[in-house]
Amino acid sequence: METYRIAVVAGDGIGPEVMAECVKVLKAAAALDGGFAFEFTDFPWGCEYYLKTGKMMPDDGIETLSGYDAILLGAVGYPGVPDNISLRDLLLRIRHDFDQYVNLRPVKLLKGAPCPLKDVKQEDINMTFVRENTEGEYAGSGAWLYKGQPNEVVIQNGVFSRKGTERVIRYAYELARKEHKTLTSISKANALNYSMVFWDSVFKEVGEEYPDVETHSYLVDAASMFMVKDPGRFQIVVTSNLFGDILTDLGAAIAGGMGLAAGANLNPERKFPSMFEPIHGSAPDIAGRQIANPLAAIWSASQLLDFFGHEDWGARILEVMEDMLVNHREALTPDQGGTASTAECGDMFVKLLQG
Ligand code: NAD
Ligand code: IPM
Ligand code: MN
């Protein structure tokens, strides 16, 4: 029997609360299937660890994680530790060092999930974002000159390598071809006269190898407007790190809220472990109260199952999620109008999964 070794970095705030439910669901799926198993190892890394040790993870943290088949991440960041340290030294470090260059984020409105848009049908919101995940504006390249002086200058570079741009765009074309969907590139070449002119030219160039894929290109400002006014235009979407970050929070808002938004950080070559996470943060405003919605974390479990080739279980998890959103609303957490605690929501999920 195949046993997947999973590193669990639950992290900060509501991270551990939602992670407990995600792990529950994965264990239940494996037990029901009988053909595969999980072995979970917890790593208590994050802001509390930082306050004790001065580090977000041990010096050999990346080496330790490299021995696992996948990583589950809860959330990182907490008041008391500057966000630029906590996120860069843990979450962004893992994405970067494991070359998880594809950030796959479904923006799909499930049946029963709330949508703030008027006159939009449920099936009109069904996109997959392929966000570049290792470079762009989040590469961490720049300078801070004359700090504190009147002539102070800060520079944050946008880094777009040919290799990095080409591979993520190619991944998106392959996905569009496989799923018989349209592919939309979102960029901003009118103002970003180096990086985005380059991005657009690579999108066109790679596209010559995919004449069967219907493509569209939008400027990011117009794309934000269309995501609200006419989301049915978008199917597979490929975009840069920064634009993808912002647009997928907009995506979360139109597809049920932050409590339902998940993402996979993939190293498609499988040279390094990939990482699965809810896209929300540590939510310090509700942490420790058992009211966080675990469904986003559970959706990321569905992505993990897809990644390991158990698409039947990946799909089954989304089916159960819809069943909860439509027929068992009392078992949802308060952000979805329910009255259940995080753990009660997870328990009901497992019960429905078991049929
Ligand atoms: P956030 O996603 O933590 O919270 C935004 C709002 O959404 C809050 O009102 C919160 O209560 C709500 N929310 C988020 N997840 C929820 C859930 N599962 N159930 C119910 N409500 C939920 O974003 P923020 O407040 O901007 O950031 C808080 C901290 O998290 C910061 O330190 C930030 O840097 C970090 N952060 C981490 C990640 C990550 O680890 N992937 C992502 C985003 C932000
Ligand atoms: C996300 C988060 C991270 C990102 C932050 C916390 C560094 O916002 O996963 O969307 O920008 O990638
Ligand atoms: Mn984000």
Side-chain angles (χ1 to χ4, degrees):
M1 176 159 64
E2 181 103 57
T3 298
Y4 305 111
R5 299 181 64 237
I6 311 292
V8 180
V9 182
D12 307 313
I14 62 170
E17 298 173 54
V18 298
M19 183 55 73
E21 307 316 309
C22 171
V23 167
K24 241 185 225 175
V25 168
L26 281 171
K27 280 185 179 160
L32 286 165
D33 185 276
F36 62 93
F38 291 107
E39 194 182 292
F40 297 98
T41 309
D42 287 306
F43 294 95
W45 304 339
C47 288
E48 248 177 68
Y49 186 90
Y50 179 90
L51 292 173
K52 277 189 239 142
T53 65
K55 291 176 178 160
M56 289 299 291
M57 66 173 147
D59 290 337
D60 61 357
I62 289 291
E63 203 186 314
T64 303
L65 292 178
S66 69
Y68 289 83
D69 297 316
I71 303 160
L72 283 173
L73 185 120
V76 181
Y78 217 69
V81 181
D83 270 358
N84 61 317
I85 294 179
S86 57
L87 275 309
R88 190 154 284 285
D89 289 0
L90 190 53
L91 176 65
L92 296 179
R93 174 93 194 275
I94 295 172
R95 286 181 185 166
H96 180 269
D97 286 15
F98 288 149
D99 212 15
Q100 295 167 346
Y101 63 86
V102 168
N103 192 191
L104 205 62
R105 295 187 159 180
V107 175
K108 181 178 165 67
L109 184 65
L110 296 183
K111 288 194 194 89
C115 177
L117 304 181
K118 221 167 40 107
D119 305 328
V120 164
K121 292 198 291 289
Q122 179 242 332
E123 56 275 15
D124 283 343
I125 302 183
N126 189 2
M127 346 177 175
T128 304
F129 268 76
V130 178
R131 168 193 180 194
E132 201 290 319
N133 209 30
T134 51
E135 46 181 42
E137 306 78 2
Y138 293 9
S141 156
W144 198 316
L145 308 173
Y146 314 115
K147 218 171 197 168
Q149 297 174 44
N151 54 343
E152 190 166 18
V153 176
V154 297
I155 301 166
Q156 187 86 48
N157 292 314
V159 176
F160 290 81
S161 67
R162 174 161 282 279
K163 178 181 162 193
T165 307
E166 225 178 87
R167 65 185 182 177
V168 74
I169 286 178
R170 190 174 295 284
Y171 183 94
Y173 270 107
E174 288 288 334
L175 186 63
R177 173 178 276 172
K178 191 174 116 205
E179 298 195 349
H180 303 289
K181 292 193 169 153
T182 64
L183 175 61
T184 298
S185 164
I186 297 180
S187 65
K188 182 74 187 172
N190 53 359
L192 301 173
N193 55 336
Y194 297 107
S195 58
M196 289 296 131
V197 172
F198 176 68
W199 177 280
D200 284 355
S201 73
V202 174
F203 184 66
K204 226 172 132 208
E205 201 179 295
V206 175
E208 280 162 22
E209 296 170 45
Y210 298 84
D212 50 312
V213 176
E214 180 186 326
T215 60
H216 302 274
S217 259
Y218 292 108
L219 295 165
V220 64
D221 39 3
S224 325
M225 180 272 294
F226 282 131
M227 274 180 72
V228 171
K229 297 292 283 181
D230 187 16
R233 293 175 184 244
F234 301 95
Q235 295 184 353
I236 311 289
V237 179
V238 65
T239 190
S240 68
N241 209 334
L242 173 64
F243 295 162
D245 184 22
I246 299 167
L247 291 173
T248 53
D249 263 39
L250 175 59
I254 62 171
M258 288 310 278
L260 278 173
N265 305 272
L266 302 179
N267 173 249
E269 290 75 27
R270 298 179 190 236
K271 195 167 152 203
F272 303 106
S274 291
M275 176 165 69
F276 301 82
E277 55 169 348
I279 82 169
H280 61 70
S282 57
D285 54 339
I286 59 164
R289 292 165 51 198
Q290 272 287 309
I291 57 169
N293 188 344
L295 294 179
I298 292 172
W299 195 323
S300 78
S302 140
Q303 291 189 296
L304 180 144
L305 287 159
D306 286 348
F307 187 70
F308 284 130
H310 301 290
E311 286 96 348
D312 48 342
W313 282 107
R316 174 81 185 117
I317 285 181
L318 294 189
E319 238 175 65
V320 170
M321 214 172 283
E322 285 192 324
D323 187 19
M324 283 195 67
L325 288 162
V326 174
N327 303 313
H328 302 277
R329 299 200 52 83
E330 74 294 343
L332 300 172
T333 46
D335 59 301
Q336 293 288 332
T339 52
S341 69
T342 307
E344 285 164 352
C345 179
D347 288 342
M348 177 59 115
F349 201 99
V350 168
K351 204 173 132 195
L352 294 172
L353 191 69
Q354 289 165 338

